Amino acid sequence: MRTLESLSGTGRGRLITIWAVVVVVLLLIAVVVNACTGPDDKAPVPSGTVAGGSPTPESDGVVPDLPPNNPEFSERAPLRLPRGEREAEGVQVGFPQSQAGAVAAAIEYGTAITSTLDLDRAPAVLRAVSDGSYGSDGASLRAAPEFWRQQLGLPTTGPVPAGASLSFVVSAYQVKDRESDRVTVLTLGYVTGTTATRAPQSFLVLFPVLLVWAGDWKLQKRPDDAPDYADLRLAPDTPAAAAAGWREYTR
């Protein structure tokens, strides 16, 4: 079930908050909150790159993240993300059991699943990187690309229309509920969709995902009553985002 509530007011732009209560919609979570801004809203355009800088030292095990409003936040270098040791369905897997490994997994998995309008691609990736908690129902696993097709005014069935594409660029992350074998990672960034007949549209999104350790980081379905962290959905690369605890990363 999805409901779309318009919160548009005065000015040239329109702000839409989307509450999606479906399996794997927008990065495999039960509830996803995102802000949708159309091409006339002057929303920041994703650069396609992540922050550069020196690596942040990382040790084995999940390490503490900086709390919000900590002045040290802006002085720390972006987190250096490790690469996966192997691939599954064209996606890196085999990340280390560390905070950097969990963040890298969340970004890798989320980017792969959200950067496609192919109704078969997203389910294949989900099966490869999850612990099975999302089930095997094909209709549910296709919810994410179907949702984005709907947002772009495309048919929700059939092959990807010519000239249509989708990309997700993660700008920042946060870590919540840290334990050695499970962690919640929030990612903040922009999904950009294009079609053959419409100008590119950018969507500011916040995705919380639960990862569990099972020899590798695996996505696990979050409880229906898990927090959506909507108050943290802020434009990245701004003082407000930094003060709220969003951190940059580098490869």
mmCIF file of all heavy atoms in Angstrom, residues 92-116:
data_model
loop_
_atom_site.group_PDB
_atom_site.id
_atom_site.type_symbol
_atom_site.label_atom_id
_atom_site.label_comp_id
_atom_site.label_asym_id
_atom_site.label_seq_id
_atom_site.Cartn_x
_atom_site.Cartn_y
_atom_site.Cartn_z
ATOM 1 N N GLN A 92 29.182 -6.093 -5.432
ATOM 2 C CA GLN A 92 30.222 -6.473 -4.491
ATOM 3 C C GLN A 92 29.619 -7.023 -3.205
ATOM 4 O O GLN A 92 28.681 -6.448 -2.648
ATOM 5 C CB GLN A 92 31.100 -5.269 -4.144
ATOM 6 C CG GLN A 92 31.999 -4.796 -5.260
ATOM 7 C CD GLN A 92 32.930 -3.695 -4.802
ATOM 8 O OE1 GLN A 92 33.483 -3.756 -3.712
ATOM 9 N NE2 GLN A 92 33.102 -2.688 -5.641
ATOM 10 N N VAL A 93 30.164 -8.131 -2.718
ATOM 11 C CA VAL A 93 29.806 -8.721 -1.436
ATOM 12 C C VAL A 93 31.106 -9.143 -0.762
ATOM 13 O O VAL A 93 32.186 -8.961 -1.311
ATOM 14 C CB VAL A 93 28.853 -9.928 -1.592
ATOM 15 C CG1 VAL A 93 27.523 -9.495 -2.200
ATOM 16 C CG2 VAL A 93 29.489 -11.008 -2.461
ATOM 17 N N GLY A 94 31.001 -9.699 0.441
ATOM 18 C CA GLY A 94 32.214 -10.112 1.140
ATOM 19 C C GLY A 94 32.929 -8.945 1.803
ATOM 20 O O GLY A 94 34.151 -8.842 1.762
ATOM 21 N N PHE A 95 32.157 -8.060 2.448
ATOM 22 C CA PHE A 95 32.741 -6.916 3.140
ATOM 23 C C PHE A 95 33.168 -7.320 4.554
ATOM 24 O O PHE A 95 32.601 -8.247 5.144
ATOM 25 C CB PHE A 95 31.727 -5.777 3.207
ATOM 26 C CG PHE A 95 31.391 -5.178 1.877
ATOM 27 C CD1 PHE A 95 30.254 -5.592 1.179
ATOM 28 C CD2 PHE A 95 32.210 -4.221 1.306
ATOM 29 C CE1 PHE A 95 29.941 -5.034 -0.057
ATOM 30 C CE2 PHE A 95 31.907 -3.668 0.068
ATOM 31 C CZ PHE A 95 30.772 -4.076 -0.613
ATOM 32 N N PRO A 96 34.142 -6.632 5.132
ATOM 33 C CA PRO A 96 34.612 -6.995 6.479
ATOM 34 C C PRO A 96 33.580 -6.692 7.563
ATOM 35 O O PRO A 96 32.702 -5.850 7.385
ATOM 36 C CB PRO A 96 35.863 -6.132 6.655
ATOM 37 C CG PRO A 96 35.661 -4.971 5.735
ATOM 38 C CD PRO A 96 34.923 -5.521 4.549
ATOM 39 N N GLN A 97 33.715 -7.386 8.685
ATOM 40 C CA GLN A 97 32.820 -7.179 9.823
ATOM 41 C C GLN A 97 33.303 -5.985 10.631
ATOM 42 O O GLN A 97 33.864 -6.103 11.709
ATOM 43 C CB GLN A 97 32.762 -8.430 10.709
ATOM 44 C CG GLN A 97 31.686 -8.343 11.786
ATOM 45 C CD GLN A 97 31.640 -9.577 12.669
ATOM 46 O OE1 GLN A 97 32.512 -10.442 12.576
ATOM 47 N NE2 GLN A 97 30.646 -9.668 13.530
ATOM 48 N N SER A 98 33.056 -4.819 10.104
ATOM 49 C CA SER A 98 33.440 -3.557 10.731
ATOM 50 C C SER A 98 32.402 -2.522 10.361
ATOM 51 O O SER A 98 31.540 -2.752 9.496
ATOM 52 C CB SER A 98 34.824 -3.106 10.246
ATOM 53 O OG SER A 98 34.794 -2.820 8.855
ATOM 54 N N GLN A 99 32.476 -1.363 10.991
ATOM 55 C CA GLN A 99 31.527 -0.312 10.644
ATOM 56 C C GLN A 99 31.709 0.112 9.198
ATOM 57 O O GLN A 99 30.726 0.296 8.468
ATOM 58 C CB GLN A 99 31.701 0.900 11.555
ATOM 59 C CG GLN A 99 30.771 2.063 11.187
ATOM 60 C CD GLN A 99 30.739 3.141 12.237
ATOM 61 O OE1 GLN A 99 30.299 2.906 13.358
ATOM 62 N NE2 GLN A 99 31.220 4.326 11.903
ATOM 63 N N ALA A 100 32.959 0.261 8.762
ATOM 64 C CA ALA A 100 33.206 0.639 7.372
ATOM 65 C C ALA A 100 32.666 -0.427 6.425
ATOM 66 O O ALA A 100 32.122 -0.109 5.362
ATOM 67 C CB ALA A 100 34.699 0.850 7.143
ATOM 68 N N GLY A 101 32.809 -1.700 6.797
ATOM 69 C CA GLY A 101 32.281 -2.776 5.970
ATOM 70 C C GLY A 101 30.772 -2.732 5.862
ATOM 71 O O GLY A 101 30.204 -2.952 4.795
ATOM 72 N N ALA A 102 30.101 -2.444 6.979
ATOM 73 C CA ALA A 102 28.642 -2.357 6.968
ATOM 74 C C ALA A 102 28.164 -1.179 6.127
ATOM 75 O O ALA A 102 27.211 -1.293 5.352
ATOM 76 C CB ALA A 102 28.119 -2.233 8.399
ATOM 77 N N VAL A 103 28.823 -0.033 6.268
ATOM 78 C CA VAL A 103 28.443 1.134 5.477
ATOM 79 C C VAL A 103 28.676 0.857 3.989
ATOM 80 O O VAL A 103 27.839 1.189 3.143
ATOM 81 C CB VAL A 103 29.232 2.376 5.934
ATOM 82 C CG1 VAL A 103 28.967 3.561 4.998
ATOM 83 C CG2 VAL A 103 28.864 2.745 7.365
ATOM 84 N N ALA A 104 29.812 0.247 3.672
ATOM 85 C CA ALA A 104 30.099 -0.074 2.277
ATOM 86 C C ALA A 104 29.046 -1.009 1.701
ATOM 87 O O ALA A 104 28.603 -0.835 0.559
ATOM 88 C CB ALA A 104 31.489 -0.707 2.167
ATOM 89 N N ALA A 105 28.625 -2.002 2.494
ATOM 90 C CA ALA A 105 27.604 -2.937 2.031
ATOM 91 C C ALA A 105 26.278 -2.226 1.796
ATOM 92 O O ALA A 105 25.610 -2.435 0.781
ATOM 93 C CB ALA A 105 27.434 -4.068 3.047
ATOM 94 N N ALA A 106 25.883 -1.362 2.737
ATOM 95 C CA ALA A 106 24.612 -0.644 2.601
ATOM 96 C C ALA A 106 24.599 0.207 1.344
ATOM 97 O O ALA A 106 23.603 0.247 0.605
ATOM 98 C CB ALA A 106 24.372 0.226 3.832
ATOM 99 N N ILE A 107 25.702 0.887 1.068
ATOM 100 C CA ILE A 107 25.777 1.746 -0.118
ATOM 101 C C ILE A 107 25.807 0.910 -1.390
ATOM 102 O O ILE A 107 25.120 1.211 -2.369
ATOM 103 C CB ILE A 107 27.002 2.674 -0.023
ATOM 104 C CG1 ILE A 107 26.812 3.675 1.120
ATOM 105 C CG2 ILE A 107 27.236 3.399 -1.352
ATOM 106 C CD1 ILE A 107 28.025 4.539 1.388
ATOM 107 N N GLU A 108 26.587 -0.155 -1.394
ATOM 108 C CA GLU A 108 26.691 -1.012 -2.573
ATOM 109 C C GLU A 108 25.353 -1.673 -2.900
ATOM 110 O O GLU A 108 24.890 -1.637 -4.045
ATOM 111 C CB GLU A 108 27.753 -2.088 -2.338
ATOM 112 C CG GLU A 108 27.922 -3.087 -3.478
ATOM 113 C CD GLU A 108 28.653 -2.527 -4.681
ATOM 114 O OE1 GLU A 108 29.146 -1.387 -4.602
ATOM 115 O OE2 GLU A 108 28.737 -3.241 -5.711
ATOM 116 N N TYR A 109 24.721 -2.260 -1.894
ATOM 117 C CA TYR A 109 23.453 -2.951 -2.130
ATOM 118 C C TYR A 109 22.362 -1.962 -2.552
ATOM 119 O O TYR A 109 21.613 -2.211 -3.495
ATOM 120 C CB TYR A 109 22.998 -3.684 -0.869
ATOM 121 C CG TYR A 109 23.974 -4.702 -0.310
ATOM 122 C CD1 TYR A 109 23.810 -5.219 0.977
ATOM 123 C CD2 TYR A 109 25.062 -5.158 -1.050
ATOM 124 C CE1 TYR A 109 24.686 -6.152 1.502
ATOM 125 C CE2 TYR A 109 25.957 -6.086 -0.529
ATOM 126 C CZ TYR A 109 25.761 -6.580 0.757
ATOM 127 O OH TYR A 109 26.641 -7.500 1.277
ATOM 128 N N GLY A 110 22.278 -0.866 -1.820
ATOM 129 C CA GLY A 110 21.232 0.112 -2.108
ATOM 130 C C GLY A 110 21.368 0.742 -3.477
ATOM 131 O O GLY A 110 20.384 0.957 -4.181
ATOM 132 N N THR A 111 22.606 1.044 -3.863
ATOM 133 C CA THR A 111 22.833 1.641 -5.176
ATOM 134 C C THR A 111 22.420 0.688 -6.286
ATOM 135 O O THR A 111 21.766 1.078 -7.258
ATOM 136 C CB THR A 111 24.314 2.031 -5.337
ATOM 137 O OG1 THR A 111 24.666 2.992 -4.332
ATOM 138 C CG2 THR A 111 24.579 2.630 -6.704
ATOM 139 N N ALA A 112 22.768 -0.596 -6.130
ATOM 140 C CA ALA A 112 22.439 -1.576 -7.162
ATOM 141 C C ALA A 112 20.936 -1.774 -7.289
ATOM 142 O O ALA A 112 20.396 -1.856 -8.401
ATOM 143 C CB ALA A 112 23.117 -2.910 -6.846
ATOM 144 N N ILE A 113 20.241 -1.843 -6.175
ATOM 145 C CA ILE A 113 18.803 -2.115 -6.205
ATOM 146 C C ILE A 113 18.003 -0.896 -6.658
ATOM 147 O O ILE A 113 16.996 -1.025 -7.356
ATOM 148 C CB ILE A 113 18.335 -2.579 -4.815
ATOM 149 C CG1 ILE A 113 18.956 -3.935 -4.508
ATOM 150 C CG2 ILE A 113 16.815 -2.657 -4.729
ATOM 151 C CD1 ILE A 113 18.848 -4.343 -3.065
ATOM 152 N N THR A 114 18.460 0.295 -6.297
ATOM 153 C CA THR A 114 17.708 1.505 -6.594
ATOM 154 C C THR A 114 18.080 2.112 -7.943
ATOM 155 O O THR A 114 17.351 2.959 -8.449
ATOM 156 C CB THR A 114 17.913 2.541 -5.470
ATOM 157 O OG1 THR A 114 17.701 1.906 -4.214
ATOM 158 C CG2 THR A 114 16.941 3.697 -5.586
ATOM 159 N N SER A 115 19.178 1.689 -8.532
ATOM 160 C CA SER A 115 19.613 2.271 -9.807
ATOM 161 C C SER A 115 19.153 1.443 -11.003
ATOM 162 O O SER A 115 19.883 1.295 -11.979
ATOM 163 C CB SER A 115 21.135 2.419 -9.833
ATOM 164 O OG SER A 115 21.578 3.331 -8.856
ATOM 165 N N THR A 116 17.955 0.900 -10.915
ATOM 166 C CA THR A 116 17.456 0.118 -12.043
ATOM 167 C C THR A 116 15.938 0.229 -12.134
ATOM 168 O O THR A 116 15.244 0.334 -11.123
ATOM 169 C CB THR A 116 17.853 -1.366 -11.914
ATOM 170 O OG1 THR A 116 17.386 -2.082 -13.071
ATOM 171 C CG2 THR A 116 17.258 -2.001 -10.665
#
